[in-house]
Amino acid sequence: MAAFKTAVVAMSLFAVGAAHAASVDVSFTRISSNASVNVESQFVATATTVAGDTSVVDFIIRNNVGVASSISEIYFDNGLVSSLFSTGSIVEQVGTSFVFGSASPGNLPGGNTLAQPFQVTASFLADAKGNPNNGVNAATDLVRIRFALLGGVMFDDVADALADGSLRIGFHVRSIGEDEDSDSFVSTGGTPIVPLPGPGALGAAGLLAALGVRRRRG
């Protein structure tokens, strides 16, 4: 009986470890229609934990370019006073030159036409210097923005907020296609990236198998 209880505990730990998502991919939808081509499928923002630090969360911004385009301004809407983050900063850039804390325009163009108007959270925005050449305009480019979590907030709270729309990300994208038009895009929820079980989880699975065999033979 004791062995069976141990198996139940191990199974619970295994299930929790396997189901927890360390990253969430966020897709985007176009909210304006200036460009003749819709490039929303090229954009992705990945919210991810940072190894060894549960007090922060990173957002990695990418543009999987097929059609020429440049993410030139990045906006975060979590309410006028954020319920998730205290501060933010850019911690990594590849092929871009963004400044965090301000942008021009100061709010997502066209965001006020949404059923729930997009309102950038104070200072949670970034602007590419020398638009659009220094924006995210190549598949190899990325911007990593790190936010400090408010006390008591966990990564799962961020993932939930992305899913229910209480946290939204907006892009103002320039130089789209041959006509080099601009459009705005807003995040549309998040898809968890569930990692493979680690060695500990695999060990628990092995323990379950061993205990299961032993109990059947008993």
Side-chain angles (χ1 to χ4, degrees), residues 2-18 200-209 211:
F4 179 67
K5 288 182 178 179
T6 302
V8 171
V9 172
M11 182 179 293
S12 299
L13 292 173
F14 172 74
V16 169
L202 291 174
L207 175 62
L208 285 177
L211 289 172

Side-chain angles (χ1 to χ4, degrees), residues 191-215:
T191 302
I193 305 171
V194 181
L196 292 173
L202 291 174
L207 175 62
L208 285 177
L211 289 172
V213 171
R214 183 177 301 171
R215 191 168 188 275

Side-chain angles (χ1 to χ4, degrees), residues 19 38 47 52 62 66-67 82 86-87 97 107 111 127 158 168 173 184 204 218:
N38 185 355
R62 291 188 175 91
V67 176
S82 178
S86 58
T87 58
S97 182
N107 195 25
D127 199 0
V158 176
R168 293 181 293 178
V173 180
S184 293

